[in-house]
Amino acid sequence: MTPASVKKRACVIGWPIEHSRSPMIHGTWLKQYGIDGAYTREAVQPDDVMDFLAHLSRHGFVGCNVTVPHKEAAYKAADVKHDAARAVGAANTLWIEDGKLHATNTDTYGFMAYLKQKAPNWQQADPRVVVIGAGGAARAIIYGLINGGCDEVIVLNRTEARAEQVRAHFGEKIKLMSWSQCNDAMTGAGLVINATSVGMNSEDCPDVDLTRVDDACVVSDIVYTPLETAFLKAAHDRGLTTVDGLGMLLHQAVPGFEKWFGVRPTVTDDLYQAIADDVRRSQCSSSD
Ligand code: ATR
């Protein structure tokens, strides 16, 4: 068999891994583009992850996605760490190139691509930008915002020491405000992002006053279970443009698929609806 005819295989690794929607996303694209490839779920225990990644091609994979709790380990395991992964200190997309394991973090791309799709004019008025959170997802977003031309990003985080680490990493474009000042941070804001896990599988909501933001403010949430979080609902009720977490999830899958299978896939409305339906179904069954 010539190398060109070898069926390419990629996977997502995590522990646990059953919940991952990546096989559905990549499986849809493989079918849609008629590619003779495969994308599977691989349950890899924390003790085994370094060994698994060291032998990724021996396991038959050209690359993989990485989810909780292996993103930092994947970053460490990589021979070549791309800028987005360095900015976050964690990797979610790996591929083998010239015998070396490469790592990037496509959350940055996913967030920025979907923001541009849903709110193409968000940057026109040079808005006040506020990121709530200082974990891995927040770092990926902050990296995208700064690279995308934001001169200042206000960061709020419950644990202020973590926000200070973000400032130390990204430098003077980060302005820190304390958790108790969060409503002051909202005054006149033009882009507000919840990059915390608050609202995941709950009615909880970041405790900020959205009446203070600019009328043209765009409000985004990385949480997609539920699809419309309480935070996005509050923004919607206030008449603001909202950017949900599901679109970010779909767009972050694009660069990996292109690396592994050689086709740049499109995030279609049909794909969005199919994954949204799956999220709704799982929400219904978990509340049974
Ligand atoms: P991820 O890599 O997915 O971003 P993470 O690194 O664990 O995950 O970060 C989770 C983020 O959600 C953090 O900003 C966390 O705040 P702390 O640094 O104070 O822990 C935030 N977060 C989680 N639960 C929260 C809550 N109940 N209230 C406020 N912030 C919360």
Side-chain angles (χ1 to χ4, degrees), residues 127-139:
R128 168 175 253 217
V129 175
V130 184
V131 174
I132 307 169
R139 278 170 174 253

Side-chain angles (χ1 to χ4, degrees), residues 192-211:
V192 179
I193 302 140
N194 173 37
T196 75
S197 47
V198 176
M200 194 183 292
N201 300 319
S202 77
E203 292 289 310
D204 292 347
C205 191
D207 190 15
V208 295
D209 181 2
L210 287 178
T211 63

Side-chain angles (χ1 to χ4, degrees), residues 169-217:
H169 184 90
F170 290 102
E172 60 188 19
K173 289 189 175 172
I174 304 298
K175 180 177 171 190
L176 300 184
M177 291 181 76
S178 73
W179 199 236
S180 58
Q181 286 177 295
C182 58
N183 284 329
D184 294 337
M186 292 302 127
T187 305
L191 175 64
V192 179
I193 302 140
N194 173 37
T196 75
S197 47
V198 176
M200 194 183 292
N201 300 319
S202 77
E203 292 289 310
D204 292 347
C205 191
D207 190 15
V208 295
D209 181 2
L210 287 178
T211 63
R212 297 198 185 198
V213 303
D214 192 89
D215 287 344
C217 184

Side-chain angles (χ1 to χ4, degrees), residues 72 132-138 157-160 162 179 195-198 222:
E72 282 84 12
I132 307 169
N157 195 52
R158 177 183 61 177
T159 307
E160 288 175 13
R162 257 184 126 188
W179 199 236
T196 75
S197 47
V198 176
I222 63 160

